[in-house]
Amino acid sequence: MADQLEPMPTDWQRALAVVAHPDDLEYGCAAAVATWTATGREVAYLMATRGEAGIDTLAPAEAGPVREREERAGAAVVGVTTVEFLDHADGVIEYGPALRRDIAAAIRRHRPELVVTLNFDDTWAGGAYWNTPDHRAVGRAVMDAVADAGNRWIFPDAGEPWGGVRWVAVAGSDSPTHAVDVTDGLEAGVRSLVAHRAYIEALTGDDPEKYARELVEGFARESATRFAGRPAIPFRLFNR
């Protein structure tokens, strides 16, 4: 059928996931990461901010360290040991050369074949929800920084050029093209989101595990209808 999702490529070894905030990857994408790392692939995380503006009941100076700890714990659940933070200001990230340079430098440093980022369209869910400026800025900067990283004349002081990125995969897109079977990574994906306990407790009155399980498992089951009935995390895949 025309609306079915293709399997994601598997002939790669290193990936770099670049998003705006702690927790961005845990809303589904981490289940795919768990599936990848279980097969011996290497995945590193790069956060543009420490999510310091994300908990209404905690001042940024308190929230930033809490959210960093929760992100490192959630990453560890899915086999990710490298988690880096760029320290751009949460909520007011600016798209531009500074952001592109920081991301390009990380790409040159980690030398991934696959780069993962989050939906950078103006909206979510077919236009039902407005996307945040941080997601839009970071996602678009990622797309541009992949090309920047391979050009020796752009940001020449930001490391040796790396033109080896073969794909950029965008999670949360309204127009996905590919998916990862997360049958074996789903439970780790749920536990990865549960690690963001302080954030979830400030966000909702639901039990964090119930909240995480319903969201992550529900998303994977919904995507299964386009992936031969297998629980899946979808991506829009761009070839490089």
Side-chain angles (χ1 to χ4, degrees), residues 53-133:
I55 298 179
D56 184 61
T57 54
L58 287 180
E62 299 175 82
V66 169
R67 300 206 68 199
E68 178 182 344
R69 287 195 299 271
E70 292 189 335
E71 180 56 42
R72 293 189 187 280
V77 170
V78 295
V80 174
T81 58
T82 300
V83 182
E84 299 175 352
F85 298 85
L86 294 176
D87 285 327
H88 288 258
D90 187 14
V92 290
I93 300 174
E94 295 185 20
Y95 173 89
L99 182 60
R100 285 169 47 199
R101 182 194 180 281
D102 285 347
I103 297 171
I107 292 170
R108 289 171 176 176
R109 186 166 62 253
H110 291 286
R111 302 171 73 85
E113 299 145 271
L114 171 68
V115 171
V116 178
T117 193
L118 194 65
N119 174 33
F120 50 83
D121 292 339
D122 288 340
T123 61
W124 297 89
Y129 301 98
W130 189 248
N131 201 355
T132 73

Side-chain angles (χ1 to χ4, degrees), residues 16 18 46 86 88 94-109 137-138 140-142 144-151 154-160:
L16 176 66
V18 186
L46 180 70
L86 294 176
H88 288 258
E94 295 185 20
Y95 173 89
L99 182 60
R100 285 169 47 199
R101 182 194 180 281
D102 285 347
I103 297 171
I107 292 170
R108 289 171 176 176
R109 186 166 62 253
V138 171
R140 288 168 180 163
V142 168
D144 294 334
V146 167
D148 296 336
N151 189 325
I154 299 176
F155 310 128
D157 60 340
E160 289 297 315

